[in-house]
Amino acid sequence: PDFCAYTRFEGYFPGADPILRDFDGGTSAATAVAAGVIALLKHKRPDLTQEEARAVLAETAQDILMPGFDQNSGAGIIRANAAFDLL
């Protein structure tokens, strides 16, 4: 992956114990979060290109796992506010 995004959304599990219920997560949830961040950036800078967006997200991501870009987490976790402020 190029980046990671938070995905801990409360799932729809009727009748589940509120303390033990599962969460929706994974790439389907993370993609929506990442797309929302790109929409936020495009709102600030409508002419933002895909490469510029990728660069600002990489520069402002919170590095996790091994230092720098790695196979399992890319540049790290997207930080929307930091990316927005950098534009």
Side-chain angles (χ1 to χ4, degrees), residues 32-73:
V33 171
V37 172
I38 296 297
L40 174 72
L41 299 180
K42 293 283 287 180
H43 179 74
K44 183 171 185 181
R45 263 217 25 232
D47 64 332
L48 186 71
T49 68
Q50 181 176 340
E51 286 305 313
E52 290 170 332
R54 180 178 286 136
V56 75
L57 291 177
E59 188 173 336
T60 59
Q62 178 184 344
D63 197 9
I64 58 174
L65 302 178
M66 296 172 50
F69 191 92
D70 62 75
Q71 179 179 331
N72 294 315
S73 66

Side-chain angles (χ1 to χ4, degrees), residues 12-38:
Y12 179 69
F13 302 98
D17 182 325
I19 295 173
L20 302 176
R21 91 173 118 227
D22 290 326
F23 290 87
D24 290 333
T27 56
S28 58
T31 299
V33 171
V37 172
I38 296 297

